[in-house]
Amino acid sequence: MREIKTCIFDMDGVICDTAKYHFYAWKKLGDRLGIVFTEQDNERLKGVSRMESLEILLSLSDRTYAEEEKLSFAEEKNKNYVDYISAMDKNEILPGVLEVLEYCRKEGIKTALGSVSKNAGIILDRLKLWPYFDAVIDGTKVVRAKPDPEVFLKGAGETGAEPSCCVVFEDAYTGIEAARAAGMLAVGIGSEQALPNADFVIRGFEEMSAEQLINRIRQF
Ligand code: BG6
Ligand code: MG
């Protein structure tokens, strides 16, 4: 049986559906710049850092932009994004998430947040989730975005677990790559089509009870 010492949760798209707020904020910037930006394009931004996301958006335009302009675009997008997330409340925690976090506590499994977002603190405040995590690793603590394993390795380190005893819950292809590069079991949240690199995929935490999920991982 697999020993689980730490469960590491990505935030955007796993704990809450903030991917839609990222999309609205990028789209607003895109509209202003005359760049057509679709939900399909937005898929490529999942798990990617703010500046890398901006580069992807700007690659859809034929214009080139100076570094200074890019920095101000990123700031503009983030301001819009922060407006959206500042209005969130705990009703936006995705179904089944609290049950899994509580079950981990009960089983003596540590919990860590592993997100490259620099806004994780605001979201944890709004959703009142701080007490549920033994460690919070976010974009203010890492220098390399996913697929680099840094964020997850730090989560393992701060909770005193070897990577082989950690499980990652992720909704992004790059995030699954990061978990695998860290030597951790990677559970995809979403569709098998979007996450063919995951060890296994569930549609969401509501798909089964927390006990069933943890048992499935232990037996994997
Ligand atoms: C990730 C999101 O969690 O955080 C990405 O999946 C986002 O879409 C990245 O670009 C950085 O977020 P932020 O909040 O620091 O701009
Ligand atoms: Mg995500």
Side-chain angles (χ1 to χ4, degrees), residues 10-16 18-19 22 45-48 114-115 146 169-175:
D10 171 48
M11 183 182 68
D12 293 319
V14 169
I15 299 280
C16 46
T18 25
H22 279 295
L45 272 48
K46 288 186 178 172
V48 174
S115 167
K146 300 166 187 175
F169 298 104
E170 252 298 343
D171 71 318
Y173 185 91
T174 51

Side-chain angles (χ1 to χ4, degrees), residues 150-175:
E150 182 185 11
V151 62
F152 296 139
L153 291 173
K154 285 208 162 127
E158 280 202 20
T159 53
E162 311 82 70
S164 60
C165 297
C166 294
V167 179
V168 171
F169 298 104
E170 252 298 343
D171 71 318
Y173 185 91
T174 51

Side-chain angles (χ1 to χ4, degrees), residues 58-127:
L58 296 182
S59 74
L60 302 170
S61 140
D62 352 296
R63 268 202 55 183
T64 52
Y65 296 91
E67 265 331 289
E68 262 168 49
E69 273 180 302
K70 288 184 188 172
L71 288 174
S72 92
F73 292 159
E75 209 175 301
E76 178 181 332
K77 179 267 172 178
N78 193 54
K79 211 175 150 295
N80 287 326
Y81 178 68
V82 169
D83 283 345
Y84 287 118
I85 60 172
S86 300
M88 288 175 84
D89 64 28
K90 53 183 189 334
N91 292 319
E92 290 192 58
I93 300 171
L94 286 171
V97 168
L98 285 180
E99 288 78 358
V100 174
L101 288 166
E102 276 160 4
Y103 189 74
C104 286
R105 271 284 139 80
K106 191 170 142 259
E107 290 287 294
I109 299 168
K110 300 258 195 235
T111 54
L113 190 84
S115 167
V116 299
S117 170
K118 293 188 165 76
N119 293 301
I122 303 178
I123 294 174
L124 293 181
D125 279 343
R126 296 297 313 168
L127 304 184

